[in-house]
Amino acid sequence: MFISVRPKVEDKASQTEAQPLDILTLEVKHLHRVSKKLAGKWQQLGRELEITQDDLEIIKIDHSYSVMEQGFQMLLKWFRGCDPAKRTPQTLKEALDETECYTAAECLLSDFS
């Protein structure tokens, strides 16, 4: 009796472990994608990310033509003014989860999977 044993072939995705979100690099393109999914919760998310209410009001007035642009500008303000150690996908995901922006969190995670 002859038994052929083949080595198990694993796909490339299973060979590499997913990196933790706190060590991955967040980029402006990620903020743009996430901003498309925020809708009316951008101010709540901004407060969670410690953007001042005055800054949120300025963003709202300066970009009154588009809620998506307001969300993007808020994220950009956070990104540029945040301590680089806290400017991670993990920090953003936690804030998105806290404000129940689950679709935006999924969008963020899909960029890093």
Side-chain angles (χ1 to χ4, degrees):
M1 176 183 213
F2 179 78
I3 300 175
S4 174
V5 179
R6 293 187 203 188
K8 184 178 177 183
V9 177
E10 297 180 16
D11 60 60
K12 189 175 181 179
S14 65
Q15 291 177 355
T16 58
E17 292 183 30
Q19 292 183 324
L21 286 176
D22 61 340
I23 64 168
L24 296 172
T25 303
L26 191 62
E27 298 175 17
V28 172
K29 67 181 181 180
H30 302 123
L31 305 180
H32 182 258
R33 288 188 195 121
V34 167
S35 70
K36 293 178 180 180
K37 307 292 183 187
L38 293 178
K41 291 192 171 189
W42 71 270
Q43 289 186 78
Q44 185 181 358
L45 178 63
R47 286 188 287 276
E48 191 66 33
L49 292 170
E50 300 178 358
I51 305 293
T52 67
Q53 189 61 41
D54 288 342
D55 285 338
L56 294 174
E57 290 299 324
I58 290 168
I59 291 168
K60 187 175 181 179
I61 291 167
D62 287 351
H63 304 282
S64 60
Y65 57 89
S66 171
V67 173
M68 188 184 86
E69 186 63 23
Q70 291 168 343
F72 175 72
Q73 292 299 324
M74 177 277 299
L75 287 170
L76 191 60
K77 178 153 191 69
W78 167 74
F79 183 80
R80 290 179 174 165
C82 184
D83 173 5
K86 293 182 180 179
R87 191 174 54 213
T88 66
Q90 182 64 39
T91 301
L92 182 53
K93 184 194 175 303
E94 288 171 2
L96 289 166
D97 287 345
E98 188 65 30
T99 55
E100 299 178 358
C101 295
Y102 302 119
T103 305
E106 288 174 16
C107 177
L108 177 66
L109 290 176
S110 72
D111 281 348
F112 294 99
S113 56

